[in-house]
Structure formats: structure tokens, C-alpha cells
Amino acid sequence: GAVVSQHPSWVICKSGTSVKIECRSLDFQATTMFWYRQFPKQSLMLMATSNEGSKATYEQGVEKDKFLINHASLTLSTLTVTSAHPEDSSFYICSASSGTGNQPQHFGDGTRLSIL
Amino acid sequence: AQKVTQAQTEISVVEKEDVTLDCVYETRDTTYYLFWYKQPPSGELVFLIRRNSFDEQNEISGRYSWNFQKSTSSFNFTITASQVVDSAVYFCALSNWGGSEKLVFGKGTKLTVNP
């Protein structure tokens, strides 16, 4: 089946650091990738939708300048949390879609981000 | 606007009991998709099922079954003869097209199956 690799799976860093999370579709071309955030014991909330080669579409309340999304190729999207602070600590999950409409999104295994 | 409601926050059962997880959704779209995902403690999302709005047939997969009723906007999930390994958070989700559009998740139901 389709595989999406997300890296790193866990990161701990100091406040003020920028952190990059990668999401790769390993065996299909992902025209669209989604980034979700999940706070402890809460649901997944969509942060942004990115289409290959174009700017990401952010959900209301998500800071574009803080959460930089790049989708430069059909197999890779990155989320960079800039100048991270403790309140950014969360579980971030990406998903990838081939855009055919017939296949569900495929999720990565998520990244646990802890900002000290 | 789309909305998914999972009224049960936590459920605890004893192994071998049957358990039903409720899901009620709201959408103005005539074409939509409903999903169930399992999230074990390790965090990854495990896809369980996708159902489109035109197909109201119930589905059974092993110990899992799903009941989709458009009349009540519900898509309930039943686990028969529950096992300890079924312990996880289960999310119901909705999208407006093909699963390639963004998913709207319910708040999830934490299921604990005790031995």
C-alpha cells in the first residue's frame, strides 16, 4: 500500500529554535499534502493544505510566518516551525494525496515536538 | 460548515464485550466521504474505513462493522468481541470529496478494553 514517511518522529529543542519536519510519499506522487496538529488528548486540526508548486493554504488562526510550508516536489513537503516556543509543542501529522479522488489520504506516523 | 460529533469521550469495556462508537456528522454537501481511524498510544493514524455518501450498505470486516444511516447523519462503528489490542482513540472524520480534500475530525473516543 501507499507509504508516507515523516521525519523526525520525535524532536526536543530549546525555545527559539526553528524545526523542520519532512513528509515524503515513498511510492506515489502526492499532488496535495496536508499538515495537521494534535494537542494532547485532543483531535487533529488541519493547519494547512499544500499543493505541489504553489503556496500553501492556511486554515484560519494558523500563522503563516510561523509555520512555513514548502511543497517543492511531488514527493516531499516540509513544515518548518520558526522560532518555536513551548506552546508550539504538539504532535504534527502530515498526509498525502495523489489527487485522483479515488484514494484516501495516506498519513505519516507523526512528529512529537517538544519545546523546552 | 462541516462538523463531526463523537459524543462519547471515553468508553471502558471488558474483553469480549461488544462496543459501539457513535459518530454524527453535519454537512451541506450532497457528496461526501466518511472515515474511521484508529490512533493507538504510539500516535500513528490507522485507516479503518472510508464510505461515500451514496453507499448506505453496512459493512463488516472481521470483528469490525459500520452502520451508515443518512437519515440520522450517523456512521457508527461496532467492535464485536473486543480485545485488549483494540484499546486506542478512534476518530470519525468527514471530507467533501474523495478523501483528497481536507478531513474534518471528531474529537475522538478513547476506548479502553480491560482484560
Side-chain angles (χ1 to χ4, degrees), chain A residues 32 34 36 38 41-46 49 59 91 93 97-105 107-110 112, chain B residues 33 35 37 39-45 47 50 89 91 95 97-108 110:
Chain A
T32 305
F34 302 90
Y36 296 83
Q38 184 182 29
K41 297 186 179 182
Q42 294 190 24
S43 188
L44 289 86
M45 299 298 293
L46 180 68
T49 303
E59 295 298 300
F91 188 58
I93 303 183
S97 169
S98 61
T100 62
N102 294 323
Q103 297 297 323
Q105 300 172 25
F107 282 86
D109 286 346
R112 294 193 184 279
Chain B
Y33 290 79
F35 303 78
Y37 288 90
Q39 187 177 43
S42 49
E44 75 275 16
L45 280 180
F47 169 80
R50 181 185 71 165
V89 179
F91 290 98
S95 78
W97 175 72
S100 295
E101 291 294 329
K102 60 185 182 182
L103 290 168
V104 175
F105 286 88
K107 292 187 175 180
K110 182 179 180 181

Side-chain angles (χ1 to χ4, degrees), chain B residues 8-96:
Chain B
Q8 304 149 308
T9 305
E10 294 192 37
I11 299 176
S12 182
V13 299
V14 177
E15 209 170 15
K16 297 185 182 178
E17 283 186 26
D18 298 347
V19 58
T20 295
L21 309 181
D22 297 333
C23 175
V24 174
Y25 63 92
E26 296 175 31
T27 181
R28 293 179 182 176
D29 296 317
T30 55
T31 304
Y32 52 89
Y33 290 79
L34 295 162
F35 303 78
W36 276 95
Y37 288 90
K38 175 182 180 179
Q39 187 177 43
S42 49
E44 75 275 16
L45 280 180
V46 178
F47 169 80
L48 297 178
I49 190 172
R50 181 185 71 165
R51 176 53 55 97
N52 73 57
S53 53
F54 296 112
D55 184 1
E56 288 193 70
Q57 279 191 334
N58 292 333
E59 183 158 340
I60 299 174
S61 177
R63 295 184 297 108
Y64 295 169
S65 62
W66 291 270
N67 184 307
F68 175 28
Q69 293 195 352
K70 286 181 75 172
S71 60
T72 56
S73 297
S74 65
F75 187 44
N76 297 336
F77 172 34
T78 298
I79 302 174
T80 303
S82 60
Q83 299 176 1
V84 173
V85 294
D86 295 327
S87 298
V89 179
Y90 290 86
F91 290 98
C92 181
L94 170 70
S95 78
N96 63 346

Side-chain angles (χ1 to χ4, degrees), chain A residues 51-112:
Chain A
N51 292 297
E52 185 266 338
S54 59
K55 290 184 179 180
T57 301
Y58 290 80
E59 295 298 300
Q60 190 173 6
V62 178
E63 299 175 59
K64 301 178 182 181
D65 295 332
K66 183 165 190 62
F67 299 99
L68 301 180
I69 292 173
N70 183 284
H71 191 168
S73 79
L74 285 171
T75 59
L76 174 65
S77 176
T78 60
L79 167 67
T80 301
V81 184
T82 61
S83 187
H85 293 286
E87 58 266 28
D88 299 322
S89 298
S90 187
F91 188 58
Y92 294 86
I93 303 183
C94 71
S95 70
S97 169
S98 61
T100 62
N102 294 323
Q103 297 297 323
Q105 300 172 25
H106 302 283
F107 282 86
D109 286 346
T111 298
R112 294 193 184 279

